[in-house]
Amino acid sequence: PGEKYNCLIGGDNLEIGRQAAEYLVERLGGKGVVLMIQGLGGASATIERAGGAMEVFKQHPGITVIEGDDCKYQRKAARDYMDTFLQSAKPFDAVYCHNDEMAIGAYLAMEAAGTPKKVIVGVDACQKEIVQFIQDGKIDATFKYPIPGPEGVRVAADLLRGKAPMSKKIVLPTEIVTRENAEAYLKTNPNLF
C-alpha cells in the first residue's frame, strides 16, 4: 500500500480478468454458467482477477457466475474442489481459474469423472505444460501475466545511474494463448519452465 517506491512494474490483473471474461462471454455466445475457481483469499491477484472478470460478466445478463472456493493457486486443491463440485451435479458451461495450475487441476478432475468438455481458461502462461494442454485441446486459453524481471532490472540499472523512470508505474501487457498461437508463443517465450 502507498507509493513509497521508485517504480512499480507488473501486469494488470484487473485487465487480465476482463480479457478472460470477454473471451468466455464470446465462446459461450453470451449465455451460460461460468464456474470461477478462486486463487488465494485476500491476495491482490485474486481480488483483481475476480473483480475484472465480474465487471464484464455483469454486463451480460445471460451469464451466471458460480464463485467457487479459494483453491490457493494449487493444482491439487482445485482438483479436489472440482471433484466435490461435480458431485453436486450443478450445471456449468465454462471454468475460469485464477491461474494455470488450478485450470489443470480442474481439467484433470473433469477428465477423471468423464465430464463432457467445457471451456476452460487459466492465467499466467508461464509453464510449458499449460501450453501443451492448450495444444492438445484440453484447456482453451490462458492469459499471460508478464514477468516483470527484465524490465525491473533495466529500470533498477537506470535508477542506479541517477536516471528516473519515465513513469512511476509501468504496466506490462498481457496476451492470450490459444491453440491457434500456442506454437508461436512457445517460440517467442523459450524460458517457460
Side-chain angles (χ1 to χ4, degrees), residues 53-190:
M54 291 306 294
E55 284 178 22
V56 172
F57 290 141
K58 286 177 181 175
Q59 295 171 14
H60 299 275
I63 298 290
T64 302
V65 178
I66 299 171
E67 293 189 42
D69 281 1
D70 167 355
C71 291
K72 302 176 181 74
Y73 295 106
Q74 297 172 359
R75 181 182 302 198
K76 183 179 181 328
R79 185 172 182 166
D80 292 346
Y81 170 71
M82 183 56 84
D83 283 337
T84 302
F85 182 81
L86 291 171
Q87 291 172 21
S88 75
K90 291 179 183 173
F92 68 106
D93 304 292
V95 182
Y96 165 47
C97 297
H98 290 170
N99 81 342
D100 294 330
E101 277 292 301
M102 295 189 303
I104 292 170
Y107 169 80
L108 293 173
M110 288 187 282
E111 179 186 49
T115 303
K117 176 73 176 86
K118 309 290 183 183
V119 180
I120 304 173
V121 173
V123 177
D124 286 335
C126 61
Q127 300 167 267
K128 289 178 188 171
E129 184 179 19
I130 191 67
V131 179
Q132 187 64 56
F133 270 71
I134 290 169
Q135 288 176 312
D136 293 343
K138 297 175 179 178
I139 291 177
D140 298 88
T142 185
F143 287 81
K144 178 180 182 179
Y145 185 87
I147 298 168
E151 183 64 18
V153 170
R154 282 190 283 280
V155 170
D158 285 347
L159 285 166
L160 290 171
R161 290 187 199 105
K163 181 180 174 187
M166 292 179 66
S167 176
K168 188 164 178 85
K169 185 174 183 181
I170 299 172
V171 178
L172 304 173
T174 187
E175 63 184 286
I176 186 173
V177 181
T178 63
R179 202 170 191 179
E180 290 73 30
N181 71 346
E183 189 173 336
Y185 183 78
L186 286 173
K187 287 179 183 173
T188 57
N189 294 275

Side-chain angles (χ1 to χ4, degrees), residues 24-32 57 60-64:
L24 285 164
V25 168
E26 182 179 325
R27 286 292 308 273
L28 296 175
K31 295 180 183 175
F57 290 141
H60 299 275
I63 298 290
T64 302

